[in-house]
Amino acid sequence: MTEMIKGSIVALVTPFHEDGSVNFEKLKELVEWHIANQTDGILVLGTTGESSTMTHEEDDSVVQCVIETVGKRVPVIVGAGSNNTNTMLKKSIDYEKMGADQLLLISPYYNKTNEEGMIQHFKTVADAVHIPIILYNIPGRTGCSISEHAVAVLSQHPNIKGIKEASGNLSYAMNISKYLHDDFVMYSGNDDIIVPMMSLGSSGVISVLANVLPNETHEMVHAYLDGDAKKALAIQHQYLDLIHALFVEVNPIPVKEAMNQMGMQIGGYRLPLTQMSEAHKELMKQRLEEAGLL
């Protein structure tokens, strides 16, 4: 599955048992639910998957579970990023061997780097694996952005096939959109601007919203891809208040709360993440009711 996805890719949550261990049975249920509800691709170990608080062994087990459960029915993207390039390289090679279809690689958080270091960070992995790589630009999390020049250079690498643009900066997205081509695509990393990002050439979204509205997120993206921008915008507007509620606290706290309110029983969080405030829980309940999900 080397062809780049057009559509809605869910940034899948990781369900936990009450004792904090990974709930693999629930993980399998979520995968089946997404496939049944038109999710076009599944991202595992993304920001929403809380991999930053999981061990490498848990990461491997979650990836293996998802790949085996999916059984090539939809593409599986694996977050293999690290601020240690050698760690990212090892994880990427391992996940390719495990059967990942594509990799999502984040810019080096905390230690950051200069521009050439940023290019080499991604190029090191791109030269070593044989599956498509998606760059991940999310400066609000990492403290650094992938410069427009770095995107221009990396977009020409035969194994770097896309970028998840999650800065929320439409000016930046506009500037890098000129580097999109048949072998380098862009995905919105922000659910509140899926349609605006598609107007700049985005092929879809890597979505938190899809955890609660997989069909509707798929429909929004494909309406635009099919030429019905008006319908896509109407769906974006319809769920905009819910989208805002899903980010009222740091992701994935709100989306896991929403899923639990919907009766999906996916469990809690690992510290430093913890429960939402009572006021925000009530807001979430209201937004879910308005969206017809309760």
Side-chain angles (χ1 to χ4, degrees):
M1 292 190 181
T2 56
E3 187 175 338
M4 300 309 290
I5 303 162
K6 290 186 176 181
S8 170
I9 302 161
V10 65
L12 192 66
V13 301
T14 301
F16 295 134
H17 288 293
E18 194 171 330
D19 65 2
S21 61
V22 177
N23 185 340
F24 288 99
E25 289 306 310
K26 182 61 66 172
L27 184 61
K28 293 174 186 176
E29 286 181 26
L30 291 176
V31 168
E32 294 293 350
W33 183 67
H34 278 288
I35 292 173
N37 284 277
Q38 300 192 85
T39 292
D40 298 289
I42 294 175
L43 167 66
V44 62
L45 302 186
T47 302
T48 312
E50 294 179 79
S51 61
S52 58
T53 57
M54 290 161 57
T55 66
H56 291 315
E57 292 76 18
E58 286 175 320
D59 285 346
D60 291 351
S61 296
V62 166
V63 170
Q64 195 67 57
C65 176
V66 171
I67 288 172
E68 289 178 357
T69 304
V70 169
K72 295 294 181 183
R73 289 175 288 173
V74 296
V76 175
I77 305 169
V78 179
S82 174
N83 64 336
N84 179 328
T85 306
N86 284 332
T87 298
M88 184 170 80
L89 175 62
K90 182 183 184 305
K91 289 167 77 77
S92 297
I93 292 170
D94 287 347
Y95 294 148
E96 179 181 23
K97 289 177 180 176
M98 290 168 67
D101 296 299
Q102 299 172 20
L103 299 169
L104 181 71
L105 303 183
I106 200 166
S107 59
Y109 45 87
Y110 182 68
N111 47 352
K112 306 182 184 180
T113 184
N114 58 14
E115 189 166 66
E116 183 57 27
M118 183 74 74
I119 291 168
Q120 293 302 321
H121 177 70
F122 294 114
K123 192 173 179 292
T124 297
V125 177
D127 288 343
V129 300
H130 308 89
I131 54 176
I133 286 168
I134 302 169
L135 311 175
Y136 186 9
N137 187 55
I138 183 165
R141 293 269 186 177
T142 63
C144 61
S145 182
I146 306 172
S147 72
E148 294 168 22
H149 172 70
V151 173
V153 172
L154 293 165
S155 68
Q156 297 304 311
H157 192 289
N159 213 34
I160 296 176
K161 300 291 191 178
I163 182 168
K164 176 185 178 183
E165 206 315 89
S167 71
N169 182 342
L170 285 173
S171 179
Y172 171 89
M174 181 71 238
N175 289 337
I176 67 168
S177 70
K178 60 178 174 273
Y179 305 119
L180 302 181
H181 51 80
D182 288 346
D183 291 317
F184 187 77
V185 304
M186 180 166 65
Y187 298 105
S188 175
N190 298 81
D191 285 307
D192 60 338
I193 53 172
I194 296 171
V195 173
M197 286 289 289
M198 294 195 74
S199 77
L200 301 179
S202 167
S203 294
V205 62
I206 298 178
S207 174
V208 174
L209 176 66
N211 280 284
V212 296
L213 286 171
N215 267 312
E216 292 80 358
T217 310
H218 166 91
E219 185 180 11
M220 185 195 317
V221 173
H222 282 273
Y224 196 100
L225 291 171
D226 293 340
D228 195 343
K230 187 174 181 180
K231 178 181 178 181
L233 185 59
I235 297 171
Q236 177 89 84
H237 283 151
Q238 181 179 355
Y239 297 111
L240 198 55
D241 286 344
L242 174 59
I243 290 167
H244 290 154
L246 289 172
F247 295 93
V248 72
E249 292 188 20
V250 67
N251 178 49
I253 291 173
V255 71
K256 289 188 107 175
E257 171 65 26
M259 294 171 77
N260 283 325
Q261 287 194 22
M262 290 167 62
M264 300 176 78
Q265 299 179 323
I266 60 159
Y269 319 86
R270 287 184 176 178
L271 288 171
L273 302 187
T274 189
Q275 295 290 325
M276 286 179 78
S277 70
E278 290 303 317
H280 286 156
K281 285 183 180 181
E282 189 58 36
L283 173 67
M284 183 62 72
K285 180 182 178 183
Q286 180 183 341
R287 295 297 182 243
L288 291 171
E289 287 174 346
E290 290 168 355
L293 294 172
L294 290 182

